[in-house]
C-alpha cells in the first residue's frame, strides 16, 4: 500500500511539493511559538453541569488534588468546578483560556451546591410549566444555579428562533433573581 502513495509523490518534483505546503505564518499563534510559558501549576477542571473542561491555575500553596472542588470564574459567574488533574503539556490553548482558581471549595460550598441541585429540579418543572403556558416551542435540557451568585441558568434547544422575553419576565417574577436562558445546539444536548 505504501508503494501507491510513494508513486503519487514521485511524480512531483521538490519545488511542486513545497508549493502544496501551507505557509508557516498562516498558523502563527503566540501560544505555540515558544514565547508563552504556561503557568505552573496548571490544572484541568470540569464544570459538572455542562461537562465543560477548563484550564486553570492557582497559587502553588493551594495543593490541589484530583477530585477536589474549587471556585473559578466562568462565563456566567463564579461557580464550582471539579479538579481533574495537573496538566504537563497543554495542547491548543492560549493565555486567555486559562482562569485563576480563586479558592478551594469549603464544606459549606459543597453543602450549598447539594441544596442548589434540589432547587434545580424544582426550577426545571416550573420552567416547563411556563413554556407550556406561553406556548413556546423549546425543549429544556438543564437548569443550573450558580454557587456564588443569585442567578439561574436554563439551557434549552429549539428548532427555530424563540422570542422568550415574556417567559423571562414570568420566570423573574417566580424566582426573584437573575435569569439567563441559553440556547444550545442539538449536538450539545
Amino acid at each position: 500500500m505504501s508503494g501507491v502513495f510513494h508513486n503519487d509523490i514521485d511524480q512531483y518534483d521538490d519545488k511542486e511539493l513545497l508549493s502544496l505546503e501551507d505557509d508557516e505564518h498562516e498558523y502563527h499563534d503566540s501560544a505555540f511559538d515558544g514565547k508563552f510559558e504556561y503557568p505552573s501549576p496548571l490544572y484541568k477542571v470540569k464544570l459538572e453541569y455542562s461537562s465543560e473542561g477548563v484550564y486553570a491555575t492557582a497559587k502553588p500553596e493551594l495543593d490541589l488534588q484530583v477530585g477536589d472542588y474549587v471556585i473559578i470564574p466562568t462565563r456566567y459567574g463564579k461557580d464550582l468546578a471539579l479538579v481533574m488533574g495537573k496538566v504537563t503539556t497543554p495542547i491548543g490553548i492560549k493565555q486567555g483560556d486559562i482562569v485563576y482558581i480563586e479558592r478551594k471549595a469549603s464544606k459549606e460550598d459543597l453543602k450549598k451546591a447539594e441544596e442548589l441541585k434540589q432547587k434545580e429540579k424544582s426550577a426545571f418543572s416550573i420552567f416547563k410549566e411556563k413554556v407550556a403556558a406561553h406556548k413556546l416551542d423549546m425543549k429544556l435540557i438543564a437548569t443550573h444555579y450558580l454557587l456564588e451568585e443569585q442567578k439561574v441558568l436554563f439551557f434549552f434547544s429549539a428548532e427555530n428562533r424563540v422570542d422568550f422575553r415574556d417567559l423571562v419576565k414570568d420566570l423573574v417574577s417566580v424566582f426573584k433573581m437573575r435569569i439567563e436562558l441559553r440556547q444550545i445546539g442539538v449536538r450539545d444536548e
Side-chain angles (χ1 to χ4, degrees):
M1 184 130 149
S2 63
V4 173
F5 293 113
H6 194 309
N7 290 340
D8 287 345
I9 292 174
D10 281 348
Q11 66 184 342
Y12 297 101
D13 66 16
D14 288 342
K15 216 179 231 185
E16 288 175 311
L17 286 175
L18 286 174
S19 70
L20 298 174
E21 292 182 8
D22 293 328
D23 293 334
E24 286 182 33
H25 69 300
E26 280 185 39
Y27 299 106
H28 182 74
D29 184 344
S30 62
F32 304 111
D33 65 6
K35 293 178 185 171
F36 172 62
E37 289 187 33
Y38 296 103
S40 182
L42 185 63
Y43 298 93
K44 183 76 170 204
V45 298
K46 180 173 90 170
L47 300 170
E48 290 184 314
Y49 66 91
S50 67
S51 296
E52 179 182 356
V54 179
Y55 286 101
T57 189
K59 295 176 187 171
E61 59 269 16
L62 202 52
D63 188 36
L64 298 172
Q65 303 299 316
V66 172
D68 286 345
Y69 283 93
V70 293
I71 306 300
I72 64 168
T74 71
R75 68 181 115 189
Y76 307 115
K78 293 179 186 175
D79 211 353
L80 195 66
L82 176 66
V83 175
M84 303 302 289
K86 280 190 177 178
V87 178
T88 54
T89 51
I91 299 173
I93 64 168
K94 299 178 188 132
Q95 190 171 6
D97 296 337
I98 301 170
V99 300
Y100 190 78
I101 296 171
E102 296 197 0
R103 61 184 173 82
K104 204 171 186 176
S106 67
K107 288 180 183 175
E108 292 79 23
D109 291 329
L110 297 175
K111 182 180 177 192
K112 183 178 178 182
E114 281 304 312
E115 291 168 1
L116 291 175
K117 281 183 183 176
Q118 295 307 311
K119 286 177 72 173
E120 288 168 3
K121 291 176 184 175
S122 171
F124 195 93
S125 59
I126 291 170
F127 184 91
K128 288 178 86 169
E129 288 171 17
K130 297 296 181 185
V131 165
H134 288 276
K135 296 180 174 69
L136 296 172
D137 186 22
M138 52 198 304
K139 177 183 173 189
L140 181 61
I141 307 302
T143 303
H144 179 68
Y145 280 88
L146 292 178
L147 186 69
E148 288 204 351
E149 300 195 23
Q150 288 290 310
K151 185 193 245 184
V152 62
L153 306 168
F154 294 99
F155 298 92
F156 71 94
S157 66
E159 291 288 325
N160 300 307
R161 187 172 164 85
V162 179
D163 182 1
F164 49 72
R165 290 176 289 193
D166 291 333
L167 172 64
V168 171
K169 290 175 190 172
D170 205 359
L171 292 170
V172 167
S173 71
V174 171
F175 293 102
K176 309 278 192 257
M177 64 174 45
R178 290 174 51 209
I179 303 291
E180 193 166 327
L181 273 65
R182 288 282 170 191
Q183 185 168 0
I184 61 174
V186 176
R187 193 183 88 212
D188 297 323
E189 264 183 61

